[in-house]
Amino acid sequence: QVQLVESGGGLVQAGGSLRLSCAASRSIWSMNAMGWYRQATGRQRELVARIVSGGSTNYADSVKGRFTISGDGAGKTVYLQMKNLNAEDTAVYYCNAIFSGVDYWGKGTLVTVSS
């Protein structure tokens, strides 16, 4: 079992920055992968960024160069640093972990970008 709790969402102006955090109940480095997904109103949930065991990362094309996923040294928190936000980034952001082949999800945190 893995519990995930997101935080850091909120309202930000276009061009601004936010950092999302995902606190995990076990070491993130024990997971097969951890990532951030988002779901905007009326749209499907989509992958934003992911870090896999071994440390490699991948990003959606729409966020490359603006978002950075990282893990903390203590190994229980994953961050998503978001810069140069725009209205298209408005969504509920969900933390995801894959552990022993099972997907786990947090409840999400809302990011709203005002133009």
Side-chain angles (χ1 to χ4, degrees), residues 5-51:
V5 179
E6 303 98 335
S7 61
L11 176 64
V12 62
Q13 288 188 330
S17 300
L18 276 177
R19 188 177 77 162
L20 305 183
S21 300
C22 173
S25 59
R26 61 185 303 134
S27 171
I28 63 175
W29 307 118
S30 69
M31 314 290 186
N32 303 115
M34 286 197 71
W36 289 93
Y37 288 71
R38 67 186 180 188
Q39 187 166 20
T41 302
R43 301 184 69 173
Q44 290 188 330
R45 191 173 297 190
E46 63 175 0
L47 174 68
V48 176
R50 179 168 51 201
I51 186 166

Side-chain angles (χ1 to χ4, degrees), residues 12-106:
V12 62
Q13 288 188 330
S17 300
L18 276 177
R19 188 177 77 162
L20 305 183
S21 300
C22 173
S25 59
R26 61 185 303 134
S27 171
I28 63 175
W29 307 118
S30 69
M31 314 290 186
N32 303 115
M34 286 197 71
W36 289 93
Y37 288 71
R38 67 186 180 188
Q39 187 166 20
T41 302
R43 301 184 69 173
Q44 290 188 330
R45 191 173 297 190
E46 63 175 0
L47 174 68
V48 176
R50 179 168 51 201
I51 186 166
V52 299
S53 62
S56 61
T57 58
N58 51 68
Y59 297 89
D61 287 343
S62 60
V63 306
K64 282 181 181 177
R66 300 189 299 123
F67 291 11
T68 303
I69 188 170
S70 62
D72 74 340
K76 286 198 169 184
T77 304
V78 171
Y79 302 102
L80 184 68
Q81 178 67 53
M82 306 185 293
K83 298 180 179 180
N84 194 19
L85 287 158
N86 58 61
E88 293 296 310
D89 297 316
T90 294
V92 178
Y93 284 70
Y94 297 92
C95 183
N96 168 265
I98 302 175
F99 180 69
S100 296
V102 178
D103 271 290
Y104 295 89
W105 296 91

